[in-house]
């Protein structure tokens, strides 16, 4: 399965982004409202400046208390962002996420972000694929 197949159903949703100068309090509010675990930081919605995950917010609050909520996203975000391409294999993407211990990957095309996939998206797509394979094999064995 390719990344392009996974994002096909998400493409119309667009990608939620935040400006670098936003506070962590505003970022937490956005994550909560949108029911997502990470947001890409971008000034134009397509170039990736960084990524901010709920873990980054929790880490800062854990270190310095709730005053950290007034910090700017750009001071806390991860700047070295790993991405993937639409033609990448989903198994490889899952491997990267597992090895590098993060759950989100921007999907890049011609230097622009076209989607963000989460580990949940990849696992759900793989499970659906496995279910289809199981049905096909059952059909072959049972002769229907
Ligand atoms: P996550 O598991 O995605 O919630 O993120 C765990 C940590 O990895 C956080 O510090 C994120 O900022 C960072 N992170 C998340 N996604 C990426 C990515 N695609 N590339 C680099 N770092 C990331």
């Amino acid at each position: 399965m390719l990344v392009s197949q996974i994002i096909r159903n998400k493409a119309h949703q667009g990608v939620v982004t935040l400006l670098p100068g936003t506070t962590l309090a505003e970022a937490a509010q956005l994550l909560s409202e949108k029911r997502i675990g990470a947001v890409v930081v971008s000034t134009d919605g397509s170039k990736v400046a960084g990524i901010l995950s709920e873990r980054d917010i929790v880490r800062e609050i854990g270190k310095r208390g709730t005053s950290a909520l007034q910090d700017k996203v750009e001071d806390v975000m991860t700047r070295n962002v790993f991405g993937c391409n639409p033609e990448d294999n989903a198994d490889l993407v899952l491997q990267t996420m597992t090895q590098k211990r993060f759950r989100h990957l921007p999907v890049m095309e011609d230097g622009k972000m076209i989607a963000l996939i989460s580990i949940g998206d990849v696992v759900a797509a793989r499970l659906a694929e496995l279910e289809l394979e199981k049905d096909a094999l059952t059909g072959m064995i049972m002769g229907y």
Side-chain angles (χ1 to χ4, degrees):
M1 174 170 286
L2 301 180
V3 167
S4 56
Q5 293 170 275
I6 299 173
I7 62 174
R8 199 170 292 154
N9 298 331
K10 302 189 84 193
H12 64 281
Q13 292 171 7
V15 187
V16 179
T17 59
L18 263 186
L19 290 169
T22 311
T23 64
L24 290 193
E26 290 165 324
Q29 197 181 348
L30 183 76
L31 293 178
S32 161
E33 271 169 20
K34 302 276 182 190
R35 307 178 75 166
I36 52 177
V39 60
V40 169
V41 184
S42 173
T43 50
D44 64 1
S46 68
K47 251 184 24 218
V48 177
I51 191 162
L52 182 85
S53 140
E54 55 198 355
R55 291 200 185 172
D56 299 320
I57 301 176
V58 169
R59 184 190 62 232
E60 295 305 315
I61 294 174
K63 276 199 274 188
R64 290 178 295 119
T66 51
S67 65
L69 288 169
Q70 299 318 314
D71 287 4
K72 297 234 165 71
V73 164
E74 62 192 338
D75 296 328
V76 171
M77 68 187 189
T78 302
R79 289 173 186 270
N80 184 19
V81 180
F82 283 81
C84 63
N85 299 309
E87 60 276 7
D88 285 344
N89 191 287
D91 287 340
L92 191 77
V93 164
L94 209 48
Q95 211 179 321
T96 306
M97 286 176 164
T98 310
Q99 278 170 359
K100 300 201 177 290
R101 294 183 173 277
F102 45 63
R103 299 166 292 178
H104 301 88
L105 274 188
V107 184
M108 307 298 294
E109 197 170 48
D110 302 327
K112 289 186 173 173
M113 177 178 54
I114 56 166
L116 182 78
I117 55 170
S118 72
I119 200 163
D121 297 328
V122 186
V123 169
R126 282 294 284 135
L127 284 177
E129 192 180 43
L130 287 171
E131 187 66 20
L132 284 177
E133 283 172 17
K134 190 200 86 185
D135 288 349
L137 285 172
T138 307
M140 282 161 63
I141 293 164
M142 307 299 277
Y144 52 75

